[in-house]
Amino acid sequence: MHRITLLGKPGCHLCEDAREVIARVAGELGVPWEEISIDSSEELREKYWEMIPVTLIDGVQHDFWRVDETRLRTALST
């Protein structure tokens, strides 16, 4: 089973858009997901601050800035 992680931060409008897509797709496919703020870790902040929101599937970077729903569904189907 796959797992989705959304890396973002409070007040990020693109993160809100990504959250909606991920919640919908994950809910429909029964895939667990979590959201982590890059503000929770200096390492995350340094690595991802220019790319948020960042979507990880099974800990591997899948998307950044925007979540493509079709691409996300395809990745979760493999």
Side-chain angles (χ1 to χ4, degrees):
M1 161 110 20
H2 293 293
R3 180 172 191 82
I4 304 167
T5 303
L6 172 62
L7 301 175
K9 70 176 188 173
C12 166
H13 72 280
L14 291 177
C15 299
E16 293 171 14
D17 295 344
R19 185 180 307 114
E20 289 178 17
V21 173
I22 290 170
R24 179 174 52 250
V25 172
E28 290 173 9
L29 299 179
V31 175
W33 73 282
E34 65 180 337
E35 185 170 354
I36 299 173
S37 173
I38 63 166
D39 290 336
S40 67
S41 155
E42 185 64 33
E43 179 183 347
L44 289 176
R45 191 172 26 258
E46 286 180 13
K47 186 171 182 178
Y48 295 112
W49 74 275
E50 290 184 336
M51 298 170 31
I52 61 168
V54 175
T55 307
L56 309 175
I57 297 177
D58 302 328
V60 177
Q61 185 175 331
H62 173 73
D63 267 329
F64 64 98
W65 292 337
R66 302 250 183 230
V67 177
D68 181 292
E69 185 169 341
T70 302
R71 188 168 179 268
L72 179 61
R73 287 180 184 280
T74 300
L76 295 171
S77 297
T78 59

